[in-house]
Amino acid sequence: DGSDSLSIIDANTLSVQDVSIRNNLNMMTMSPDGNWVVCYHDLAGENGGQGSGGAISYNAISIVNLDTLEHTEVMAGAFPKDVQFSSDSSLAVVISVDYLSVIQFEESGPTLRRIPIADDLINPPLAEEVLLDPQGRYAIVRQYGVDELVLVDLQTTEDPISLLTVGANPTDMDVSPDGTQAMVIARVD
């Protein structure tokens, strides 16, 4: 059994500080500036996709401020899959099966806004990947078995979703370093 904590190790002194986080989280992503960590439970990342037993929340994530060691728990959506930060670390996006969660990092702490990424939130297509442009304006979501990408305008709250038709069965995507282009590889099974 793990300790359900985030251990922060000082490279010079090798001292360790532990911050309690949500139970059973197994993945984390750190912000580019090193001030924040988002921890989540990726079912595929544990025992080849087999659960470990015990109570697991499949929509809760932990956000840790590494300067203050404060922990914030929020509900991101079912089965978080990936986390991406903007290049300036002012925001992050968490992709889950049903929502794209947008986390704003502010002086008062992180705030979260969930945006539905599918019309059918009961049985949505599985989200496989999310990319964020370097400025943090747009997120692109790739879903399994869907020939369209979900483009989310993060700066609007009214109708932030657009669909981008790409080739059949997209399997990977990337955004250019300046954010002016997105590339998608698609293939037919």
Side-chain angles (χ1 to χ4, degrees), residues 17-42:
Q17 290 182 289
D18 288 328
V19 177
S20 293
I21 60 173
R22 173 79 188 184
N23 292 345
N24 292 308
L25 303 181
N26 63 354
M27 302 295 282
M28 69 175 185
T29 303
M30 181 185 290
S31 63
D33 66 6
N35 291 332
W36 297 93
V37 170
V38 175
C39 304
Y40 58 102
H41 184 88
D42 183 358

mmCIF file of all heavy atoms in Angstrom, residues 17-42:
data_model
loop_
_atom_site.group_PDB
_atom_site.id
_atom_site.type_symbol
_atom_site.label_atom_id
_atom_site.label_comp_id
_atom_site.label_asym_id
_atom_site.label_seq_id
_atom_site.Cartn_x
_atom_site.Cartn_y
_atom_site.Cartn_z
ATOM 1 N N GLN A 17 9.876 16.236 1.651
ATOM 2 C CA GLN A 17 8.645 16.779 2.212
ATOM 3 C C GLN A 17 7.493 16.038 1.557
ATOM 4 O O GLN A 17 7.450 15.910 0.324
ATOM 5 C CB GLN A 17 8.514 18.272 1.921
ATOM 6 C CG GLN A 17 9.494 19.134 2.686
ATOM 7 C CD GLN A 17 9.241 20.597 2.374
ATOM 8 O OE1 GLN A 17 9.531 21.032 1.276
ATOM 9 N NE2 GLN A 17 8.705 21.324 3.343
ATOM 10 N N ASP A 18 6.551 15.557 2.355
ATOM 11 C CA ASP A 18 5.390 14.859 1.833
ATOM 12 C C ASP A 18 4.157 15.742 1.947
ATOM 13 O O ASP A 18 3.948 16.402 2.966
ATOM 14 C CB ASP A 18 5.139 13.552 2.599
ATOM 15 C CG ASP A 18 6.177 12.489 2.282
ATOM 16 O OD1 ASP A 18 6.668 12.468 1.145
ATOM 17 O OD2 ASP A 18 6.500 11.687 3.178
ATOM 18 N N VAL A 19 3.361 15.735 0.877
ATOM 19 C CA VAL A 19 2.079 16.433 0.862
ATOM 20 C C VAL A 19 1.003 15.379 0.639
ATOM 21 O O VAL A 19 1.073 14.622 -0.341
ATOM 22 C CB VAL A 19 2.032 17.491 -0.271
ATOM 23 C CG1 VAL A 19 0.670 18.165 -0.317
ATOM 24 C CG2 VAL A 19 3.156 18.502 -0.128
ATOM 25 N N SER A 20 0.040 15.303 1.537
ATOM 26 C CA SER A 20 -1.058 14.349 1.372
ATOM 27 C C SER A 20 -1.896 14.739 0.166
ATOM 28 O O SER A 20 -2.208 15.915 -0.028
ATOM 29 C CB SER A 20 -1.940 14.325 2.619
ATOM 30 O OG SER A 20 -1.205 13.791 3.700
ATOM 31 N N ILE A 21 -2.241 13.733 -0.656
ATOM 32 C CA ILE A 21 -3.080 13.946 -1.835
ATOM 33 C C ILE A 21 -4.211 12.927 -1.813
ATOM 34 O O ILE A 21 -4.258 12.056 -0.943
ATOM 35 C CB ILE A 21 -2.268 13.843 -3.149
ATOM 36 C CG1 ILE A 21 -1.610 12.463 -3.295
ATOM 37 C CG2 ILE A 21 -1.255 14.966 -3.245
ATOM 38 C CD1 ILE A 21 -0.924 12.224 -4.633
ATOM 39 N N ARG A 22 -5.078 13.005 -2.781
ATOM 40 C CA ARG A 22 -6.201 12.074 -2.921
ATOM 41 C C ARG A 22 -5.683 10.637 -2.978
ATOM 42 O O ARG A 22 -4.643 10.369 -3.572
ATOM 43 C CB ARG A 22 -6.960 12.431 -4.199
ATOM 44 C CG ARG A 22 -8.038 11.491 -4.609
ATOM 45 C CD ARG A 22 -9.267 11.718 -3.811
ATOM 46 N NE ARG A 22 -10.232 10.652 -4.106
ATOM 47 C CZ ARG A 22 -11.417 10.622 -3.620
ATOM 48 N NH1 ARG A 22 -11.825 11.583 -2.825
ATOM 49 N NH2 ARG A 22 -12.225 9.640 -3.909
ATOM 50 N N ASN A 23 -6.427 9.698 -2.423
ATOM 51 C CA ASN A 23 -6.041 8.287 -2.440
ATOM 52 C C ASN A 23 -5.958 7.733 -3.857
ATOM 53 O O ASN A 23 -6.737 8.096 -4.725
ATOM 54 C CB ASN A 23 -7.064 7.451 -1.666
ATOM 55 C CG ASN A 23 -7.033 7.744 -0.187
ATOM 56 O OD1 ASN A 23 -6.105 8.342 0.319
ATOM 57 N ND2 ASN A 23 -8.073 7.326 0.506
ATOM 58 N N ASN A 24 -5.022 6.818 -4.055
ATOM 59 C CA ASN A 24 -4.905 5.990 -5.262
ATOM 60 C C ASN A 24 -4.606 6.739 -6.550
ATOM 61 O O ASN A 24 -4.995 6.298 -7.629
ATOM 62 C CB ASN A 24 -6.160 5.120 -5.459
ATOM 63 C CG ASN A 24 -6.268 4.065 -4.385
ATOM 64 O OD1 ASN A 24 -5.318 3.316 -4.152
ATOM 65 N ND2 ASN A 24 -7.402 4.010 -3.724
ATOM 66 N N LEU A 25 -3.909 7.858 -6.501
ATOM 67 C CA LEU A 25 -3.492 8.543 -7.718
ATOM 68 C C LEU A 25 -2.165 7.956 -8.169
ATOM 69 O O LEU A 25 -1.307 7.629 -7.344
ATOM 70 C CB LEU A 25 -3.392 10.049 -7.482
ATOM 71 C CG LEU A 25 -4.674 10.703 -6.969
ATOM 72 C CD1 LEU A 25 -4.477 12.202 -6.791
ATOM 73 C CD2 LEU A 25 -5.850 10.413 -7.880
ATOM 74 N N ASN A 26 -1.983 7.792 -9.493
ATOM 75 C CA ASN A 26 -0.779 7.104 -9.969
ATOM 76 C C ASN A 26 -0.032 7.844 -11.075
ATOM 77 O O ASN A 26 0.955 7.337 -11.588
ATOM 78 C CB ASN A 26 -1.136 5.684 -10.448
ATOM 79 C CG ASN A 26 -2.081 5.684 -11.637
ATOM 80 O OD1 ASN A 26 -2.572 6.711 -12.069
ATOM 81 N ND2 ASN A 26 -2.337 4.504 -12.162
ATOM 82 N N MET A 27 -0.490 9.030 -11.464
ATOM 83 C CA MET A 27 0.176 9.800 -12.512
ATOM 84 C C MET A 27 0.252 11.253 -12.068
ATOM 85 O O MET A 27 -0.579 11.721 -11.284
ATOM 86 C CB MET A 27 -0.602 9.721 -13.832
ATOM 87 C CG MET A 27 -0.807 8.306 -14.349
ATOM 88 S SD MET A 27 0.703 7.472 -14.819
ATOM 89 C CE MET A 27 0.995 8.229 -16.404
ATOM 90 N N MET A 28 1.244 11.985 -12.599
ATOM 91 C CA MET A 28 1.343 13.407 -12.299
ATOM 92 C C MET A 28 2.007 14.134 -13.455
ATOM 93 O O MET A 28 2.744 13.542 -14.243
ATOM 94 C CB MET A 28 2.118 13.660 -11.014
ATOM 95 C CG MET A 28 3.578 13.357 -11.105
ATOM 96 S SD MET A 28 4.410 13.832 -9.585
ATOM 97 C CE MET A 28 6.082 13.482 -10.060
ATOM 98 N N THR A 29 1.721 15.421 -13.548
ATOM 99 C CA THR A 29 2.343 16.295 -14.529
ATOM 100 C C THR A 29 2.700 17.586 -13.817
ATOM 101 O O THR A 29 1.873 18.154 -13.087
ATOM 102 C CB THR A 29 1.383 16.585 -15.705
ATOM 103 O OG1 THR A 29 0.978 15.350 -16.288
ATOM 104 C CG2 THR A 29 2.057 17.445 -16.756
ATOM 105 N N MET A 30 3.942 18.068 -14.032
ATOM 106 C CA MET A 30 4.411 19.294 -13.403
ATOM 107 C C MET A 30 4.352 20.447 -14.399
ATOM 108 O O MET A 30 4.611 20.276 -15.588
ATOM 109 C CB MET A 30 5.853 19.131 -12.914
ATOM 110 C CG MET A 30 6.399 20.376 -12.215
ATOM 111 S SD MET A 30 8.144 20.228 -11.753
ATOM 112 C CE MET A 30 8.026 19.030 -10.458
ATOM 113 N N SER A 31 4.029 21.628 -13.903
ATOM 114 C CA SER A 31 3.988 22.823 -14.740
ATOM 115 C C SER A 31 5.399 23.184 -15.201
ATOM 116 O O SER A 31 6.384 22.868 -14.519
ATOM 117 C CB SER A 31 3.369 23.989 -13.973
ATOM 118 O OG SER A 31 4.149 24.333 -12.839
ATOM 119 N N PRO A 32 5.530 23.852 -16.358
ATOM 120 C CA PRO A 32 6.862 24.227 -16.862
ATOM 121 C C PRO A 32 7.675 25.094 -15.889
ATOM 122 O O PRO A 32 8.895 24.990 -15.855
ATOM 123 C CB PRO A 32 6.556 25.000 -18.150
ATOM 124 C CG PRO A 32 5.240 24.484 -18.606
ATOM 125 C CD PRO A 32 4.486 24.172 -17.340
ATOM 126 N N ASP A 33 6.993 25.919 -15.079
ATOM 127 C CA ASP A 33 7.732 26.767 -14.131
ATOM 128 C C ASP A 33 8.044 26.045 -12.821
ATOM 129 O O ASP A 33 8.700 26.593 -11.939
ATOM 130 C CB ASP A 33 6.987 28.076 -13.862
ATOM 131 C CG ASP A 33 5.656 27.878 -13.135
ATOM 132 O OD1 ASP A 33 5.318 26.750 -12.724
ATOM 133 O OD2 ASP A 33 4.935 28.885 -12.987
ATOM 134 N N GLY A 34 7.582 24.793 -12.682
ATOM 135 C CA GLY A 34 7.876 24.007 -11.490
ATOM 136 C C GLY A 34 7.090 24.386 -10.255
ATOM 137 O O GLY A 34 7.418 23.938 -9.157
ATOM 138 N N ASN A 35 6.028 25.189 -10.394
ATOM 139 C CA ASN A 35 5.265 25.632 -9.229
ATOM 140 C C ASN A 35 4.048 24.776 -8.909
ATOM 141 O O ASN A 35 3.522 24.851 -7.806
ATOM 142 C CB ASN A 35 4.803 27.086 -9.414
ATOM 143 C CG ASN A 35 5.965 28.051 -9.373
ATOM 144 O OD1 ASN A 35 6.979 27.793 -8.735
ATOM 145 N ND2 ASN A 35 5.833 29.158 -10.075
ATOM 146 N N TRP A 36 3.569 23.976 -9.863
ATOM 147 C CA TRP A 36 2.336 23.212 -9.676
ATOM 148 C C TRP A 36 2.510 21.775 -10.147
ATOM 149 O O TRP A 36 3.251 21.523 -11.095
ATOM 150 C CB TRP A 36 1.189 23.826 -10.481
ATOM 151 C CG TRP A 36 0.836 25.206 -10.064
ATOM 152 C CD1 TRP A 36 1.323 26.379 -10.605
ATOM 153 C CD2 TRP A 36 -0.030 25.596 -9.017
ATOM 154 N NE1 TRP A 36 0.793 27.448 -9.956
ATOM 155 C CE2 TRP A 36 -0.054 27.001 -8.973
ATOM 156 C CE3 TRP A 36 -0.816 24.878 -8.108
ATOM 157 C CZ2 TRP A 36 -0.824 27.706 -8.053
ATOM 158 C CZ3 TRP A 36 -1.580 25.584 -7.189
ATOM 159 C CH2 TRP A 36 -1.580 26.977 -7.171
ATOM 160 N N VAL A 37 1.801 20.864 -9.504
ATOM 161 C CA VAL A 37 1.721 19.478 -9.946
ATOM 162 C C VAL A 37 0.247 19.076 -9.941
ATOM 163 O O VAL A 37 -0.474 19.380 -8.982
ATOM 164 C CB VAL A 37 2.526 18.520 -9.035
ATOM 165 C CG1 VAL A 37 2.238 17.065 -9.367
ATOM 166 C CG2 VAL A 37 4.012 18.789 -9.160
ATOM 167 N N VAL A 38 -0.185 18.432 -11.030
ATOM 168 C CA VAL A 38 -1.534 17.877 -11.105
ATOM 169 C C VAL A 38 -1.386 16.359 -11.068
ATOM 170 O O VAL A 38 -0.663 15.774 -11.874
ATOM 171 C CB VAL A 38 -2.263 18.318 -12.393
ATOM 172 C CG1 VAL A 38 -3.622 17.634 -12.499
ATOM 173 C CG2 VAL A 38 -2.416 19.838 -12.428
ATOM 174 N N CYS A 39 -2.046 15.727 -10.093
ATOM 175 C CA CYS A 39 -1.993 14.273 -9.920
ATOM 176 C C CYS A 39 -3.374 13.701 -10.231
ATOM 177 O O CYS A 39 -4.392 14.297 -9.881
ATOM 178 C CB CYS A 39 -1.629 13.920 -8.479
ATOM 179 S SG CYS A 39 -0.088 14.658 -7.893
ATOM 180 N N TYR A 40 -3.384 12.521 -10.870
ATOM 181 C CA TYR A 40 -4.645 11.898 -11.257
ATOM 182 C C TYR A 40 -4.481 10.392 -11.315
ATOM 183 O O TYR A 40 -3.369 9.876 -11.239
ATOM 184 C CB TYR A 40 -5.147 12.447 -12.598
ATOM 185 C CG TYR A 40 -4.189 12.262 -13.758
ATOM 186 C CD1 TYR A 40 -4.391 11.251 -14.696
ATOM 187 C CD2 TYR A 40 -3.093 13.103 -13.935
ATOM 188 C CE1 TYR A 40 -3.517 11.081 -15.772
ATOM 189 C CE2 TYR A 40 -2.221 12.938 -15.001
ATOM 190 C CZ TYR A 40 -2.444 11.932 -15.917
ATOM 191 O OH TYR A 40 -1.579 11.761 -16.971
ATOM 192 N N HIS A 41 -5.599 9.690 -11.438
ATOM 193 C CA HIS A 41 -5.557 8.235 -11.552
ATOM 194 C C HIS A 41 -5.857 7.848 -12.989
ATOM 195 O O HIS A 41 -6.959 8.069 -13.479
ATOM 196 C CB HIS A 41 -6.568 7.554 -10.622
ATOM 197 C CG HIS A 41 -6.465 6.067 -10.663
ATOM 198 N ND1 HIS A 41 -5.608 5.371 -9.838
ATOM 199 C CD2 HIS A 41 -7.047 5.138 -11.457
ATOM 200 C CE1 HIS A 41 -5.689 4.093 -10.114
ATOM 201 N NE2 HIS A 41 -6.554 3.912 -11.097
ATOM 202 N N ASP A 42 -4.862 7.275 -13.658
ATOM 203 C CA ASP A 42 -5.035 6.765 -15.018
ATOM 204 C C ASP A 42 -5.147 5.251 -14.906
ATOM 205 O O ASP A 42 -4.174 4.576 -14.583
ATOM 206 C CB ASP A 42 -3.855 7.167 -15.896
ATOM 207 C CG ASP A 42 -4.005 6.720 -17.337
ATOM 208 O OD1 ASP A 42 -5.008 6.062 -17.677
ATOM 209 O OD2 ASP A 42 -3.092 7.021 -18.132
#
